[in-house]
Amino acid sequence: YDRVSPAVVDVNVERKDGDSFSRLGFGSGFVIDSQGYVVTNNPVIQQADRVRVSFQDGTSALAEVLGTNPANDLALLKVPSEAVAGIDPIPFGDSSKARPGQLAIAIGSPFGLDGSVTVGVISGVDRTLDSDIDRPISGVLQTDALINPGNSGGPLLNAKGEVIGINTSVEVFSLVQTGVGFAVSSNTLR
């Protein structure tokens, strides 16, 4: 946690309201290199007029949305490289090696509680989810590590602290969260 959590960020989405901006939503993301590239989920930044990334040390930076991939529920942001100076990017693991029963660690900002960590296991591999464009996302990891609103876009890590997934959603049944979470595989992001 101490090694990787500085690279986990809050993604704050704002909408232009006259001459000012108001908060539209929030999620999580993580730094993937020293140039300022940040990954999150596509729905986190949809309909944003402005995106601000906040870091664990209390600083923040405006982010440019470089690309979105609704078919795989992913988005790539860019903050100035100075904003990530001194932050070690989270290394990628090979999500194809994930197996049921292995440790799974989710870090993010559920309900705006930044830097929250939950631990569980990989509950299933090679699951399929519907994307925003009704195209299936394959290779999805299932976990029982708690994923709540605000965790979307944050990393799912293995025991080595490597990203094996990007937390995306939870199964909801009759308006109740079931404790079944899903993460887009890191290999899909690559």
Side-chain angles (χ1 to χ4, degrees):
Y1 180 85
D2 289 341
R3 181 170 47 87
V4 301
S5 65
V8 179
V9 301
D10 294 344
V11 178
N12 299 290
V13 178
E14 300 172 343
R15 164 129 314 140
K16 189 156 178 64
D17 188 16
D19 292 337
S20 62
F21 288 88
S22 59
R23 189 173 188 185
L24 179 64
F26 64 94
S28 300
F30 57 97
V31 177
I32 61 169
D33 73 2
S34 61
Q35 300 303 307
Y37 292 98
V38 173
V39 169
T40 190
N41 284 134
N42 183 60
V44 170
I45 54 90
Q46 278 182 330
Q47 302 173 3
D49 292 324
R50 184 166 77 178
V51 177
R52 182 175 298 278
V53 170
S54 300
F55 299 90
Q56 190 179 41
D57 65 2
T59 62
S60 67
L62 289 177
E64 178 184 358
V65 177
L66 290 184
T68 61
N69 185 335
N72 288 308
D73 197 23
L74 298 170
L76 182 66
L77 310 176
K78 173 78 168 72
V79 297
S81 58
E82 309 84 61
V84 299
I87 296 176
D88 292 327
I90 303 176
F92 283 87
D94 183 352
S95 55
S96 71
K97 293 183 179 179
R99 296 292 177 261
Q102 289 181 331
L103 183 68
I105 305 162
I107 303 177
S109 299
F111 306 107
L113 301 168
D114 63 317
S116 294
V117 61
T118 60
V119 178
V121 296
I122 298 295
S123 304
V125 296
D126 204 24
R127 302 294 195 224
T128 302
L129 290 178
D130 285 334
S131 69
D132 287 345
I133 60 171
D134 293 326
R135 175 190 160 272
I137 305 170
S138 61
V140 173
L141 301 176
Q142 178 188 337
T143 183
D144 68 349
L146 292 178
I147 297 173
N148 289 296
N151 274 111
S152 292
L156 185 68
L157 308 166
N158 62 17
K160 295 178 184 177
E162 299 169 328
V163 176
I164 55 171
I166 301 85
N167 297 320
T168 187
S169 66
V170 293
E171 187 70 31
V172 177
F173 181 74
S174 296
L175 302 179
V176 176
Q177 290 185 351
T178 62
V180 177
F182 298 100
V184 175
S185 73
S186 60
N187 289 0
T188 298
L189 173 61
R190 283 185 188 184

